[in-house]
């Protein structure tokens, strides 16, 4: 379809524009809500134009949080979420890069068994194994710590599988040439495999960062200390305040703030992997 | 500088034996070409020398030292791969320098060696480029450069030219030849292209199904093929084979149809009255007057090449009986005639075999008959 008729072009842009509007409209409503006082949102009809409380709402949240929801400052929650997501994403990539390397490039007994066992864990998401995992973490005394928040989540069958598939596309001759050049396995991994995986790492980092950022159940269970509250937990608490109307303007402002780090990560990484895609090796 | 010794080398994958005891002695500075059809085990043999493949049996030595148990990097050899295997994310310079860097050479020493190789290979303008920004021929040169800078005891080439177009292949062939000559580095070169093999080799190893059928200079392989396989593999179009019989005196040769061919110039002693396969190269059939004809060709297909004309067709003996032939195009005989002969389909051409150009092979074993 490389036809170039003006009618079609207009139609295409209309459809795309419509898609953008559909996706962005809720975000816009949330943003507008976050700039109004609480009273403006109680009338039942959501306003569609920004109000005058932008600075006030946001600065209050970042500094002191919402008293009804524990009063943890949103800034701290954002930091917690960011640390957690970053540790999970980095940990997942580090672990799966190395395990895929072992599975593809080394011959050891039960290699395929190891691979299939890893693969099978794909069917066991966090929620399924949450009780035993909690037991282990509690026994190890890792409740209320970043280690407890992240370590149980750093093993990743998905990422291992994706890296394995990528390594399989790298010609054997490349490994052999490196061997002839005198590179040992770790040197080959560092000098050749890692740089070639750059694009994949960027893509998987984005996915895993979002996965970590969106964790709700696990942080809720392993942390009781307010200072480890993550943003997703925070939003939920704000909505579920007891004996009171939820303060929708603050909830929406928190949601807007919660959106920002993932968007930044995607924008930064996107530059990297688009560059990688354009430079595909012949 | 050093030679390579391959002694009774065997390779087995599980139960299947793919190399059945091959022995080759590569002299210092020699370029040996291993040639054979696809799947005959050329790459496997080369990779065993390189250390990329375990050696099931036998012994490989480089520079007089048995290397069976050594890692590739400790064998002091370098290899050019068919798809070049350049590191895609490294510049041309880094590709060539990588091995030296690992070997722990100083920056200056590395630069000196890479510069020297790059000059030799005319790669100077491209040192900062990535492999993907190079043409096929240039990549090939980088792959060679990567070997040269290591100054190894031997070069190994596995079909290095097969990804290039025909013209570039001829050019790179010459470059490899010159380079190998000027460096004087012992080389093992694998190809399935017989022209490449003939033009490059100091000596040829013709392999078939995991066995080295003949090891000799290209000319000797062409003139005195050791087996029907070698005879059919080297030379284009392929040699024509006809069933025949060697007379009691070891000189007279008769076709199975009863028609006599010209007697051999030298008798083959000890093989009298034997069922043989007679081989004649297409270029050794000449057009003669019908009274002198030994064979008659009924023209089927004519291929005009300019300098030569290739004629394919059914072979009849003097009694007009059809002689069964095993040749390149199946059961037809091929003859290479001068370009100026005018032949048309259906013509009959009186032919004679050039003096001394008959090859006689034992029909049972396929081996060339020689005095016993
Ligand atoms: N890993 C393996 N396991 C089992 N058999 C193998 C293996 N590698 C190669 N072979 C067999 O060994 C034989 C020789 O293979 P090799 O690659 O050496 O052939 P080759 O002469 O290089 O052919 P080509 O000209 O096609 O490259 C083939 O019959 C192949 O099927
Ligand atoms: Mg091969």
């Amino acid at each position: 379809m490389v036809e170039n008729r003006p009618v079609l072009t207009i139609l295409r842009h209309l459809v795309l524009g419509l898609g953008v509007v559909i996706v962005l409209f809720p975000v816009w409503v949330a943003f507008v809500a976050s700039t109004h006082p609480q009273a403006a949102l109680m009338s039942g009809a959501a306003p569609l134009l920004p109000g005058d409380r932008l600075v006030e709402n946001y600065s209050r949240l970042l500094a002191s949080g919402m008293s009804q929801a524990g009063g943890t400052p949103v800034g701290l929650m954002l930091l917690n979420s960011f640390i957690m997501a970053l540790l999970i994403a980095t940990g997942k990539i580090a672990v799966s890069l190395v395990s895929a390397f072992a599975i593809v490039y080394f011959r050891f007994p039960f290699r395929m068994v190891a691979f299939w066992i890893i693969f099978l864990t794909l069917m066991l998401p966090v929620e399924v194994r949450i009780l035993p995992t909690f037991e282990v973490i509690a026994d190890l005394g890792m409740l209320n710590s970043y280690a407890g928040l992240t370590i149980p989540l750093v093993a990743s069958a998905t990422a291992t599988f994706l890296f394995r598939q990528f390594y399989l596309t790298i010609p054997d001759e490349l490994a052999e040439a490196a061997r002839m050049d005198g590179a040992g396995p770790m040197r080959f991994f560092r000098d050749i495999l890692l740089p070639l995986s750059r694009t994949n790492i960027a893509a998987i980092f984005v996915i895993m960062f979002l996965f970590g950022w969106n964790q709700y159940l696990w942080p809720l269970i392993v942390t009781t200390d307010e200072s480890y509250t993550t943003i997703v937990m925070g939003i939920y608490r704000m909505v579920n305040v007891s004996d009171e109307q939820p303060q929708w303007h603050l909830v929406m402002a928190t949601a807007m703030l919660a959106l920002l780090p993932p968007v930044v990560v995607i924008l930064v990484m996107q530059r990297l992997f688009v560059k990688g895609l354009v430079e595909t090796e012949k | 500088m050093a030679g390579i010794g391959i002694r009774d080398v065997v390779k087995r994958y599980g139960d299947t034996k793919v190399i059945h005891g091959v022995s080759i002695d590569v002299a210092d500075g020699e370029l040996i070409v291993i040639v054979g059809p696809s799947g005959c085990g050329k790459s496997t043999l080369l990779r065993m020398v390189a250390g990329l493949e375990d050696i099931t049996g036998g012994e490989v030595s480089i520079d007089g030292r048995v290397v069976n148990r050594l890692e590739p990097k400790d064998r002091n050899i370098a290899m050019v791969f068919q798809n070049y295997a350049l590191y895609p994310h490294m510049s041309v310079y880094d590709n060539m320098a990588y091995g030296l860097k690992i070997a722990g050479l100083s920056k200056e020493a590395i630069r000196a060696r890479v510069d020297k190789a790059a000059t030799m290979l005319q790669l100077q303008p491209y040192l900062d480029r990535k492999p993907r920004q190079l043409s096929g021929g240039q990549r090939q040169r980088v792959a060679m450069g990567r070997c040269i800078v290591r100054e190894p005891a031997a070069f190994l080439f596995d079909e290095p030219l097969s990804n290039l177009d025909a013209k570039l292949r001829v050019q790179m062939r010459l470059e490899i030849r010159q380079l190998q000559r000027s460096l004087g580095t012992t080389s093992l070169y694998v190809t399935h292209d017989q022209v490449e093999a003939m033009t490059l080799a100091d000596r040829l190893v013709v392999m078939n199904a995991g066995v080295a059928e003949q090891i000799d200079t290209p000319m000797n392989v062409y003139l005195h093929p050791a087996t029907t396989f070698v005879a059919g593999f080297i030379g284009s179009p392929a040699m024509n084979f006809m069933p025949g019989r060697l007379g009691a005196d070891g000189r007279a040769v008769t076709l199975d149809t009863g028609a006599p061919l010209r007697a051999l110039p030298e008798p083959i002693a000890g093989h009298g009255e034997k069922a043989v396969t007679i081989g004649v190269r297409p270029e050794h059939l000449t057009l003669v007057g019908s009274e002198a004809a030994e064979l008659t060709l009924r023209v089927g297909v004519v291929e005009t090449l300019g300098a030569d004309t290739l004629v394919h067709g059914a072979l009849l003996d003097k009694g007009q009986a059809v002689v069964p032939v095993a040749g390149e195009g199946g059961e037809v005989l091929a003859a290479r005639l001068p370009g100026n002969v005018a032949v048309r389909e259906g013509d009959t051409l009186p032919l004679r075999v050039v003096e001394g150009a008959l090859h006689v092979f034992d029909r049972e074993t396929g081996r060339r008959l020689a005095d016993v």
Side-chain angles (χ1 to χ4, degrees), chain B residues 292-307:
Chain B
E294 287 171 320
L295 301 162
T296 309
L297 177 67
R298 192 171 341 103
V299 179
V301 181
V302 179
E303 291 176 298
T304 317
L305 303 180

Side-chain angles (χ1 to χ4, degrees), chain B residues 260-271:
Chain B
L261 291 176
R262 186 194 302 207
L264 298 174
E266 301 284 336
I268 304 173
H271 291 288

Side-chain angles (χ1 to χ4, degrees), chain A residues 171 173-174 176-184 187-188 191-193 195-196 198 279-282, chain B residues 47 50-52 71-73 77 79 81 83 85-90 98-99 102 132 139 146 150:
Chain A
E173 281 88 350
L174 218 52
E176 288 170 352
R179 232 176 119 192
M180 303 282 300
D181 267 342
R187 184 118 201 189
F188 168 69
D191 288 352
I192 290 158
L193 226 40
L196 289 179
R198 228 182 36 213
E279 281 185 357
T280 40
E281 318 297 352
K282 278 192 246 182
Chain B
R47 291 163 56 81
L52 297 170
E71 270 290 299
K73 68 177 160 68
I77 41 171
M79 182 160 170
F81 295 85
N83 62 5
L86 300 177
Y87 311 121
H89 58 294
M90 293 187 195
Y98 187 59
I102 292 177
R132 66 171 173 277
R139 280 182 226 182
R146 190 164 63 176
R150 306 234 331 256

Side-chain angles (χ1 to χ4, degrees), chain B residues 13 16 18 36-45 53 158-159 190 192:
Chain B
Y13 288 110
T16 42
V18 295
S38 188
C40 70
K42 311 179 291 290
S43 300
T44 309
L45 187 62
E53 211 67 75
D158 191 356
E159 309 207 15
V190 161
H192 62 254

Side-chain angles (χ1 to χ4, degrees), chain B residues 8-311:
Chain B
D8 300 321
V9 163
V10 171
K11 177 68 188 180
R12 207 178 263 126
Y13 288 110
D15 287 339
T16 42
K17 204 168 169 189
V18 295
I19 306 274
H20 304 263
V22 171
S23 300
I24 307 170
D25 271 305
V26 190
D28 188 9
E30 196 178 24
L31 194 161
I32 289 233
V33 175
I34 304 176
V35 66
S38 188
C40 70
K42 311 179 291 290
S43 300
T44 309
L45 187 62
L46 194 74
R47 291 163 56 81
M48 285 195 285
V49 175
L52 297 170
E53 211 67 75
D54 289 337
I55 300 166
T56 313
E59 201 176 271
V60 172
S61 56
I62 296 169
D63 201 0
R65 184 174 57 136
V66 177
V67 296
N68 282 34
R69 308 226 146 268
L70 291 187
E71 270 290 299
K73 68 177 160 68
D74 301 321
R75 295 188 180 198
N76 195 17
I77 41 171
M79 182 160 170
V80 179
F81 295 85
Q82 180 173 356
N83 62 5
Y84 323 133
L86 300 177
Y87 311 121
H89 58 294
M90 293 187 195
S91 67
V92 168
Y93 181 91
D94 289 335
N95 261 287
M96 292 205 254
Y98 187 59
L100 301 181
K101 225 180 274 175
I102 292 177
L105 265 70
S106 72
K107 276 229 161 61
E108 301 77 62
I110 294 178
R111 174 150 293 277
R113 284 210 202 173
V114 173
D115 276 344
K116 192 171 145 214
T119 311
M120 205 185 307
L121 294 163
Q122 292 146 33
L123 283 171
Q124 283 290 1
Y126 310 111
L127 283 178
D128 293 325
R129 293 214 197 161
K130 296 278 172 65
R132 66 171 173 277
Q133 297 162 318
L134 299 177
S135 73
Q138 289 162 345
R139 280 182 226 182
Q140 185 55 58
R141 283 203 205 105
V142 178
M144 308 245 311
R146 190 164 63 176
C147 293
I148 293 172
V149 294
R150 306 234 331 256
E151 299 176 1
F155 291 143
L156 307 177
F157 300 87
D158 191 356
E159 309 207 15
L161 304 183
S162 55
N163 282 357
L164 303 177
D165 66 50
K167 200 168 158 215
L168 201 52
R169 207 176 305 166
V170 174
Q171 184 194 333
M172 288 302 297
R173 195 168 78 202
L174 292 172
E175 282 185 28
I176 290 181
R177 176 80 266 204
Q178 282 168 357
L179 203 68
Q180 196 271 341
R181 277 284 143 82
S182 63
L183 294 171
T185 309
T186 312
S187 303
L188 259 183
Y189 187 110
V190 161
T191 178
H192 62 254
D193 182 308
Q194 53 153 313
V195 180
E196 221 170 284
M198 294 290 284
T199 51
L200 274 175
D202 289 323
R203 282 191 299 153
L204 270 183
V205 177
V206 184
M207 273 190 73
N208 181 31
V211 174
E213 298 242 344
Q214 187 169 12
I215 305 178
D216 212 333
T217 61
M219 212 51 203
N220 276 346
V221 170
Y222 176 80
L223 290 175
H224 311 289
T227 63
T228 48
F229 173 81
V230 175
F233 191 79
I234 299 290
S236 174
M239 186 184 278
N240 303 295
F241 295 108
M242 299 160 283
R245 190 152 204 87
L246 190 62
D249 60 354
R251 288 191 67 195
V253 182
T254 7
L255 292 174
D256 274 3
T257 54
L261 291 176
R262 186 194 302 207
L264 298 174
E266 301 284 336
I268 304 173
H271 291 288
E273 288 298 333
K274 194 167 213 168
V276 295
T277 301
I278 299 163
V280 182
R281 294 198 182 276
E283 53 270 41
H284 292 153
L285 287 166
T286 48
L287 211 49
V288 290
S290 47
E291 67 293 337
E294 287 171 320
L295 301 162
T296 309
L297 177 67
R298 192 171 341 103
V299 179
V301 181
V302 179
E303 291 176 298
T304 317
L305 303 180
D308 304 312
T309 301
L310 295 183
V311 182

Side-chain angles (χ1 to χ4, degrees), chain A residues 1-5 8 12:
Chain A
M1 286 290 285
V2 279
E3 270 182 277
N4 213 350
R5 273 185 292 166
L8 269 180
R12 268 199 294 265

